Amino acid sequence: MPFIVGAIASAAGWRWALLALVAPIFLVGVWIEVERTVRGDKHDVSPVDRSGWCALLQEPRFSGPVLAMVGFQMVFAPLAVRLPFMLTGQASSVFSVGLVLSLANMAVAVGLAITGWLVPRVSSRALTKTGMVIMGLGCVLALVGQVHGPPWTVVGVIVVLSAFGFVMVPAMADALNVEEADRTSAAALSGFLQAVCSGTAVAMTGMVISDHGVVVVALTLVAIATVWISQRTG
Protein backbone atom coordinates (compact mmCIF):
# COMPACT_ATOMS: atom_id res chain seq x y z
CA MET A 1 0.00 0.00 0.00
CA PRO A 2 2.75 2.57 0.77
CA PHE A 3 4.26 1.85 -2.67
CA ILE A 4 0.88 2.44 -4.38
CA VAL A 5 0.19 5.62 -2.42
CA GLY A 6 3.71 6.87 -3.13
CA ALA A 7 3.22 6.24 -6.85
CA ILE A 8 -0.09 8.13 -6.83
CA ALA A 9 1.50 11.01 -4.90
CA SER A 10 4.31 11.24 -7.46
CA ALA A 11 1.92 11.10 -10.41
CA ALA A 12 -1.04 13.15 -9.20
CA GLY A 13 -0.04 14.84 -5.93
CA TRP A 14 -0.52 14.14 -2.24
CA ARG A 15 -4.19 15.14 -2.25
CA TRP A 16 -5.13 12.28 -4.57
CA ALA A 17 -2.87 10.01 -2.54
CA LEU A 18 -4.95 10.83 0.56
CA LEU A 19 -8.12 10.00 -1.35
CA ALA A 20 -6.50 6.72 -2.36
CA LEU A 21 -5.99 5.94 1.32
CA VAL A 22 -9.62 6.70 2.15
CA ALA A 23 -11.16 4.86 -0.81
CA PRO A 24 -10.27 1.31 0.37
CA ILE A 25 -11.82 2.00 3.78
CA PHE A 26 -15.02 3.17 2.11
CA LEU A 27 -15.12 0.19 -0.24
CA VAL A 28 -14.56 -2.27 2.60
CA GLY A 29 -17.39 -0.70 4.56
CA VAL A 30 -19.75 -0.94 1.60
CA TRP A 31 -18.72 -4.54 0.99
CA ILE A 32 -19.36 -5.46 4.65
CA GLU A 33 -22.86 -3.99 4.56
CA VAL A 34 -23.74 -5.58 1.20
CA GLU A 35 -22.36 -8.96 2.27
CA ARG A 36 -24.26 -8.80 5.54
CA THR A 37 -27.50 -7.94 3.74
CA VAL A 38 -27.08 -10.74 1.20
CA ARG A 39 -26.22 -13.23 3.94
CA GLY A 40 -29.27 -12.15 5.91
CA ASP A 41 -31.52 -12.59 2.88
CA LYS A 42 -30.19 -16.10 2.29
CA HIS A 43 -30.98 -17.12 5.86
CA ASP A 44 -34.38 -15.42 5.85
CA VAL A 45 -33.48 -13.21 8.79
CA SER A 46 -36.18 -10.65 9.46
CA PRO A 47 -35.23 -6.94 9.37
CA VAL A 48 -36.07 -6.69 13.06
CA ASP A 49 -33.38 -9.22 13.94
CA ARG A 50 -30.76 -7.84 11.59
CA SER A 51 -28.34 -5.28 13.06
CA GLY A 52 -27.21 -3.76 9.75
CA TRP A 53 -25.59 -0.39 9.25
CA CYS A 54 -28.50 0.94 7.19
CA ALA A 55 -30.90 0.12 10.01
CA LEU A 56 -28.68 1.88 12.54
CA LEU A 57 -28.51 5.03 10.43
CA GLN A 58 -32.30 5.19 10.50
CA GLU A 59 -32.31 5.43 14.29
CA PRO A 60 -32.17 9.09 15.47
CA ARG A 61 -30.54 8.10 18.77
CA PHE A 62 -27.59 6.79 16.72
CA SER A 63 -27.58 9.02 13.63
CA GLY A 64 -27.72 12.25 15.67
CA PRO A 65 -24.56 11.61 17.74
CA VAL A 66 -22.75 10.19 14.71
CA LEU A 67 -23.57 13.32 12.74
CA ALA A 68 -22.00 15.37 15.54
CA MET A 69 -18.86 13.21 15.48
CA VAL A 70 -18.54 13.37 11.71
CA GLY A 71 -19.16 17.11 11.67
CA PHE A 72 -16.46 17.75 14.25
CA GLN A 73 -13.95 15.36 12.65
CA MET A 74 -14.39 17.22 9.37
CA VAL A 75 -12.90 20.31 11.04
CA PHE A 76 -10.57 18.61 13.54
CA ALA A 77 -8.63 16.47 11.06
CA PRO A 78 -7.99 19.18 8.41
CA LEU A 79 -6.97 21.76 11.03
CA ALA A 80 -4.65 19.30 12.77
CA VAL A 81 -2.99 18.59 9.41
CA ARG A 82 -2.81 22.27 8.43
CA LEU A 83 -1.43 23.56 11.72
CA PRO A 84 2.26 22.65 11.05
CA PHE A 85 2.06 24.35 7.65
CA MET A 86 0.46 27.42 9.20
CA LEU A 87 3.49 27.69 11.47
CA THR A 88 5.88 27.71 8.51
CA GLY A 89 7.40 31.15 8.31
CA GLN A 90 5.79 32.19 11.61
CA ALA A 91 7.87 30.21 14.12
CA SER A 92 11.47 31.20 14.65
CA SER A 93 12.78 27.62 14.99
CA VAL A 94 11.87 23.96 14.84
CA PHE A 95 11.64 24.05 18.64
CA SER A 96 9.00 26.77 18.42
CA VAL A 97 6.95 24.69 15.96
CA GLY A 98 7.16 21.68 18.26
CA LEU A 99 6.18 23.84 21.24
CA VAL A 100 3.05 25.13 19.50
CA LEU A 101 2.06 21.63 18.37
CA SER A 102 2.60 20.39 21.93
CA LEU A 103 0.35 23.18 23.20
CA ALA A 104 -2.32 22.10 20.72
CA ASN A 105 -2.13 18.51 22.00
CA MET A 106 -2.21 19.79 25.58
CA ALA A 107 -5.33 21.83 24.81
CA VAL A 108 -7.06 18.70 23.53
CA ALA A 109 -5.94 16.76 26.62
CA VAL A 110 -7.17 19.47 28.98
CA GLY A 111 -10.51 19.54 27.19
CA LEU A 112 -10.82 15.77 27.56
CA ALA A 113 -9.93 15.97 31.27
CA ILE A 114 -12.52 18.68 31.91
CA THR A 115 -15.11 16.72 29.96
CA GLY A 116 -14.36 13.59 31.99
CA TRP A 117 -14.92 15.56 35.19
CA LEU A 118 -18.17 17.09 33.91
CA VAL A 119 -19.71 13.92 32.43
CA PRO A 120 -21.31 12.70 35.70
CA ARG A 121 -22.55 16.23 36.47
CA VAL A 122 -23.70 17.68 33.15
CA SER A 123 -25.94 16.37 30.37
CA SER A 124 -24.60 15.37 26.95
CA ARG A 125 -26.44 18.25 25.29
CA ALA A 126 -24.89 20.78 27.68
CA LEU A 127 -21.41 19.42 26.97
CA THR A 128 -22.01 19.55 23.23
CA LYS A 129 -23.31 23.12 23.42
CA THR A 130 -20.19 24.05 25.37
CA GLY A 131 -18.12 22.54 22.56
CA MET A 132 -20.04 24.63 20.02
CA VAL A 133 -19.32 27.79 22.04
CA ILE A 134 -15.62 26.91 22.18
CA MET A 135 -15.57 26.36 18.41
CA GLY A 136 -17.33 29.70 17.97
CA LEU A 137 -14.64 31.41 20.04
CA GLY A 138 -11.96 29.81 17.89
CA CYS A 139 -13.75 31.02 14.78
CA VAL A 140 -13.82 34.57 16.15
CA LEU A 141 -10.09 34.43 16.88
CA ALA A 142 -9.45 33.21 13.32
CA LEU A 143 -11.45 36.17 12.02
CA VAL A 144 -9.36 38.50 14.19
CA GLY A 145 -6.32 36.88 12.59
CA GLN A 146 -7.48 38.13 9.21
CA VAL A 147 -6.88 41.66 10.51
CA HIS A 148 -4.16 41.35 13.13
CA GLY A 149 -2.03 38.55 11.72
CA PRO A 150 -1.55 34.74 11.56
CA PRO A 151 -0.71 34.25 15.28
CA TRP A 152 -4.35 34.94 16.13
CA THR A 153 -5.40 32.35 13.56
CA VAL A 154 -3.08 29.76 15.12
CA VAL A 155 -4.58 30.46 18.55
CA GLY A 156 -8.04 30.11 17.02
CA VAL A 157 -7.12 26.72 15.60
CA ILE A 158 -5.86 25.52 18.98
CA VAL A 159 -9.09 26.69 20.64
CA VAL A 160 -11.20 24.84 18.04
CA LEU A 161 -9.16 21.67 18.55
CA SER A 162 -9.66 21.91 22.32
CA ALA A 163 -13.40 21.36 21.80
CA PHE A 164 -12.67 17.71 20.91
CA GLY A 165 -13.67 16.27 24.28
CA PHE A 166 -16.79 18.40 24.65
CA VAL A 167 -18.20 17.20 21.33
CA MET A 168 -16.74 13.74 20.81
CA VAL A 169 -17.06 12.21 24.30
CA PRO A 170 -20.83 12.71 24.71
CA ALA A 171 -21.43 11.87 21.05
CA MET A 172 -19.49 8.59 21.30
CA ALA A 173 -21.36 7.64 24.46
CA ASP A 174 -24.77 8.47 22.99
CA ALA A 175 -24.02 6.66 19.73
CA LEU A 176 -23.58 3.42 21.68
CA ASN A 177 -26.85 3.90 23.52
CA VAL A 178 -28.57 1.36 21.27
CA GLU A 179 -29.76 -2.20 21.69
CA GLU A 180 -27.06 -4.42 23.17
CA ALA A 181 -27.01 -6.61 20.06
CA ASP A 182 -26.30 -3.53 17.91
CA ARG A 183 -23.50 -1.96 19.96
CA THR A 184 -20.66 -3.67 18.13
CA SER A 185 -22.10 -2.64 14.77
CA ALA A 186 -22.69 0.88 16.10
CA ALA A 187 -19.06 1.20 17.23
CA ALA A 188 -17.80 -0.12 13.88
CA LEU A 189 -20.05 2.14 11.83
CA SER A 190 -19.27 5.30 13.81
CA GLY A 191 -15.53 4.63 13.49
CA PHE A 192 -15.88 3.88 9.79
CA LEU A 193 -17.78 7.09 9.07
CA GLN A 194 -15.32 9.19 11.06
CA ALA A 195 -12.34 7.73 9.19
CA VAL A 196 -13.90 8.19 5.76
CA CYS A 197 -15.26 11.69 6.37
CA SER A 198 -12.17 13.06 8.12
CA GLY A 199 -9.83 11.62 5.49
CA THR A 200 -11.97 13.00 2.68
CA ALA A 201 -12.14 16.40 4.39
CA VAL A 202 -8.34 16.55 4.67
CA ALA A 203 -7.94 15.71 0.98
CA MET A 204 -10.67 18.05 -0.23
CA THR A 205 -9.59 21.04 1.85
CA GLY A 206 -6.03 20.40 0.70
CA MET A 207 -7.22 21.03 -2.85
CA VAL A 208 -8.52 24.45 -1.85
CA ILE A 209 -5.85 27.05 -2.49
CA SER A 210 -6.92 29.73 -0.05
CA ASP A 211 -5.77 31.68 2.95
CA HIS A 212 -5.44 29.53 6.07
CA GLY A 213 -7.69 31.86 8.01
CA VAL A 214 -10.49 31.58 5.47
CA VAL A 215 -10.30 27.78 5.55
CA VAL A 216 -10.31 27.74 9.37
CA VAL A 217 -13.39 29.96 9.56
CA ALA A 218 -15.26 28.05 6.84
CA LEU A 219 -14.54 24.62 8.33
CA THR A 220 -15.44 25.74 11.84
CA LEU A 221 -18.74 27.26 10.74
CA VAL A 222 -19.63 24.05 8.88
CA ALA A 223 -18.77 21.99 11.97
CA ILE A 224 -20.88 24.20 14.26
CA ALA A 225 -23.82 23.99 11.87
CA THR A 226 -23.50 20.19 11.58
CA VAL A 227 -23.30 19.70 15.35
CA TRP A 228 -26.31 22.00 15.81
CA ILE A 229 -28.32 19.95 13.32
CA SER A 230 -27.28 16.76 15.12
CA GLN A 231 -28.73 18.14 18.35
CA ARG A 232 -32.09 18.55 16.65
CA THR A 233 -31.85 15.11 15.04
CA GLY A 234 -30.79 13.01 18.03
Side-chain angles (χ1 to χ4, degrees), residues 51-74:
S51 57
W53 286 5
C54 291
L56 281 171
L57 289 173
Q58 295 173 9
E59 294 189 25
R61 60 178 174 175
F62 175 78
S63 60
V66 166
L67 182 61
M69 286 190 282
V70 167
F72 184 77
Q73 286 287 7
M74 290 179 68

Side-chain angles (χ1 to χ4, degrees), residues 104-123:
N105 288 328
M106 183 62 69
V108 174
V110 170
L112 284 167
I114 295 174
T115 303
W117 182 79
L118 290 174
V119 163
R121 302 168 176 81
V122 182
S123 67

Side-chain angles (χ1 to χ4, degrees), residues 45-101:
V45 178
S46 66
V48 176
D49 297 326
R50 188 184 307 156
S51 57
W53 286 5
C54 291
L56 281 171
L57 289 173
Q58 295 173 9
E59 294 189 25
R61 60 178 174 175
F62 175 78
S63 60
V66 166
L67 182 61
M69 286 190 282
V70 167
F72 184 77
Q73 286 287 7
M74 290 179 68
V75 65
F76 183 86
L79 293 190
V81 170
R82 273 181 176 263
L83 185 55
F85 297 97
M86 293 173 64
L87 297 172
T88 302
Q90 302 299 322
S92 57
S93 65
V94 175
F95 174 78
S96 299
V97 173
L99 180 60
V100 174
L101 295 179

Side-chain angles (χ1 to χ4, degrees), residues 156-218:
V157 170
I158 294 176
V159 171
V160 172
L161 297 180
S162 70
F164 181 92
F166 293 94
V167 177
M168 295 297 292
V169 170
M172 285 188 288
D174 292 342
L176 297 181
N177 187 27
V178 295
E179 298 295 334
E180 185 175 354
D182 291 339
R183 286 176 187 169
T184 302
S185 295
L189 178 55
S190 62
F192 165 72
L193 291 175
Q194 289 180 70
V196 170
C197 292
S198 61
T200 303
V202 170
M204 290 301 182
T205 54
M207 295 180 182
V208 178
I209 303 175
S210 181
D211 180 79
H212 288 303
V214 174
V215 174
V216 172
V217 171

